[in-house]
Amino acid sequence: MNSEFSVRLQKIEGVLNNYLPSHINSDWKNLSFGSIDSCVNETHLSNLLLPCKNLLDLGGKRWRPLLLVLCAELASSAKADISQKQPEDLVEKAYSLTPLVEFAHTASLIHDDIEDSADTRRGKAAAHITYGVDVALNAGSWLYFEAASCIKNLNLSDSEKLALYELFLLELRRLHLGQAMDILWHRNPSLIPSVEEYTAMVRNKTGTLSRLAVKLGVLAGGAGTEEAEKAGKFAEDIGTGFQIIDDVINLTTGNPGKKRGDDIVEGKKSLPVLLHLKKNPGDKEKLAVLFEKARSEGINSPAVEEAITLLTQSGAVEEARENGQKTIEENALALAGLFGNEESAPAVLITDLLGILRGLPLQEGRK
């Protein structure tokens, strides 16, 4: 990986570990819970902390918090001549905001695995398998709220903090809307959304955290809300392209830490499925039967490979791959050129990062 990324990622990890520590300390406890009864001990708090911390420590691409920081660098370099703050001060604020994105992502993975009845995540047993559904569900819900604790520590006015809270909560509501759409479709094998509905779902379910990261970064870097909104539009499409490629990998090599074709078992109506049915509408019932058989028999069902073969031979998988790569490339260039200097160091790093994501050679699972 680019050494420029490694330096930033190391700093991001330090921030994430500070806000989600391996060992409970009084500063973290006070920030997270305020004054609580003295009888509340480490065992009680661990039921929240451990499922989230263990998943976070299993790794992940961290491309969203990295993109947040790079967007802050992009904005601050463009605004350095008119801002009263130094660029490095603005970027420091961006690092402090990274838990908003990465903790929300981690929480969504815990809930996603419960909702999909998935057994593994990042190569290990899913949180609900290790800790039980009740503990994992509660811990994941807590982590959404815990993410916002980082705002309290920022040296900002109350109105500036309020704006951050409002942005964060808006994107979380959108994330859950996207998940609601996805659940509706994968619970009903015969229910096939349109490509437009699928795109809307992904823009919310996956694109929302990309949008949140970029908007936070642009704002932290000293730009205004109009520029942040414009950047957010590019980012949600980048997130959409990312999800499309991730779904393609699920049907080809298989996502790291997951089993090839587990989307078939879960009944997910990914873009390859929709593109295949657009070309071959007569296969709707056949695919519905394969989805149902895979769901009942599990990942080793012959129906999984039969469905993958059907989607691959029609060209739908490759068409989806090209769609996802083109979506990322076009919007990455637009984001990098937001302030009119595509040759600046932050702009080049943004296009490099998102170029890597077109092929997804980094570690981690899906979503």
Side-chain angles (χ1 to χ4, degrees):
M1 178 184 286
N2 187 324
S3 61
E4 293 284 343
F5 295 156
S6 298
V7 171
R8 290 165 176 81
L9 286 169
Q10 185 176 7
K11 193 168 183 177
I12 288 169
E13 287 301 313
V15 174
L16 298 178
N17 288 328
N18 182 54
Y19 282 100
L20 207 62
S22 298
H23 303 288
I24 295 168
N25 59 74
S26 58
D27 288 341
W28 172 79
K29 186 166 68 171
N30 289 335
L31 178 66
S32 299
F33 303 100
S35 178
I36 54 177
D37 295 321
S38 59
C39 64
V40 177
N41 58 45
E42 187 168 329
T43 302
H44 305 134
L45 297 171
S46 294
N47 246 17
L48 292 174
L49 184 62
L50 284 182
C52 304
K53 179 62 174 173
N54 285 347
L55 179 53
L56 190 76
D57 287 349
L58 285 177
K61 304 178 194 70
R62 306 286 197 259
W63 68 268
R64 297 170 185 86
L66 179 56
L67 185 58
L68 188 162
V69 170
L70 292 176
C71 284
E73 293 178 12
L74 182 72
S76 65
S77 63
K79 301 295 180 179
D81 56 337
I82 59 175
S83 174
Q84 294 180 345
K85 296 183 179 180
Q86 294 299 313
E88 55 268 24
D89 295 332
L90 297 171
V91 175
E92 283 302 311
K93 182 170 71 173
Y95 278 103
S96 298
L97 291 170
T98 54
L100 289 171
V101 178
E102 196 62 25
F103 288 179
H105 175 58
T106 302
S108 74
L109 297 183
I110 293 174
H111 284 180
D112 196 46
D113 287 339
I114 294 171
E115 291 160 355
D116 292 342
S117 299
D119 294 335
T120 60
R121 172 65 66 179
R122 295 174 178 166
K124 301 292 184 180
H128 67 280
I129 300 297
T130 301
Y131 298 97
V133 172
D134 50 357
V135 172
L137 186 62
N138 189 57
S141 297
W142 166 77
L143 190 56
Y144 282 124
F145 300 106
E146 178 68 9
S149 66
C150 66
I151 297 175
K152 292 173 63 177
N153 273 350
L154 293 174
N155 184 23
L156 297 174
S157 67
D158 288 345
S159 61
E160 289 174 315
K161 288 183 179 180
L162 177 61
L164 291 175
Y165 283 123
E166 288 180 340
L167 171 58
F168 179 61
L169 292 173
L170 171 63
E171 299 301 351
L172 285 190
R173 293 194 294 270
R174 287 174 169 172
L175 185 153
H176 284 79
L177 170 60
Q179 184 71 345
M181 296 168 74
D182 195 24
I183 291 171
L184 173 67
W185 300 329
H186 80 237
R187 286 174 62 92
N188 297 274
S190 61
L191 186 57
I192 306 296
S194 66
V195 172
E196 292 75 17
E197 287 175 312
Y198 164 84
T199 302
M201 179 275 289
V202 177
R203 279 180 177 157
N204 285 295
K205 179 179 176 178
T206 305
T208 190
L209 291 181
S210 307
R211 186 170 57 235
L212 174 63
V214 166
K215 289 172 73 172
L216 286 171
V218 169
L219 291 171
T225 54
E226 183 176 340
E227 291 160 313
E229 287 296 330
K230 189 174 182 180
K233 291 293 183 182
F234 299 140
E236 69 181 10
D237 285 335
I238 289 169
T240 299
F242 169 83
Q243 183 65 63
I244 291 170
I245 292 176
D246 213 33
D247 291 342
V248 166
I249 290 175
N250 185 276
L251 300 175
T252 52
T253 59
N255 303 98
K258 288 283 186 176
K259 296 178 180 178
R260 166 181 153 109
D262 66 340
D263 279 357
I264 301 297
V265 177
E266 294 166 13
K268 288 190 176 294
K269 309 306 178 357
S270 61
L271 187 60
V273 173
L274 302 183
L275 293 176
H276 176 87
L277 291 176
K278 190 174 181 178
K279 297 178 182 178
N280 307 277
D283 283 348
K284 180 179 178 180
E285 184 176 346
K286 182 176 183 179
L287 271 175
V289 170
L290 291 174
F291 275 134
E292 188 59 43
K293 187 176 181 181
R295 180 192 293 271
S296 62
E297 296 178 355
I299 192 65
N300 295 317
S301 170
V304 174
E305 290 302 321
E306 187 176 346
I308 291 175
T309 299
L310 193 66
L311 300 175
T312 303
Q313 290 181 346
S314 72
V317 173
E318 185 57 30
E319 184 180 349
R321 186 199 305 275
E322 292 173 359
N323 180 301
Q325 290 179 336
K326 182 180 179 182
T327 298
I328 293 175
E329 181 177 12
E330 289 178 348
N331 286 281
L333 292 172
L335 178 60
L338 181 65
F339 298 100
N341 187 2
E342 298 90 342
E343 302 302 319
S344 69
V348 171
L349 287 173
I350 286 172
T351 53
D352 284 351
L353 171 64
L354 297 173
I356 290 172
L357 290 176
R358 289 176 62 203
L360 292 182
L362 306 180
Q363 66 175 26
E364 201 210 48
R366 46 185 278 282
K367 188 162 174 153

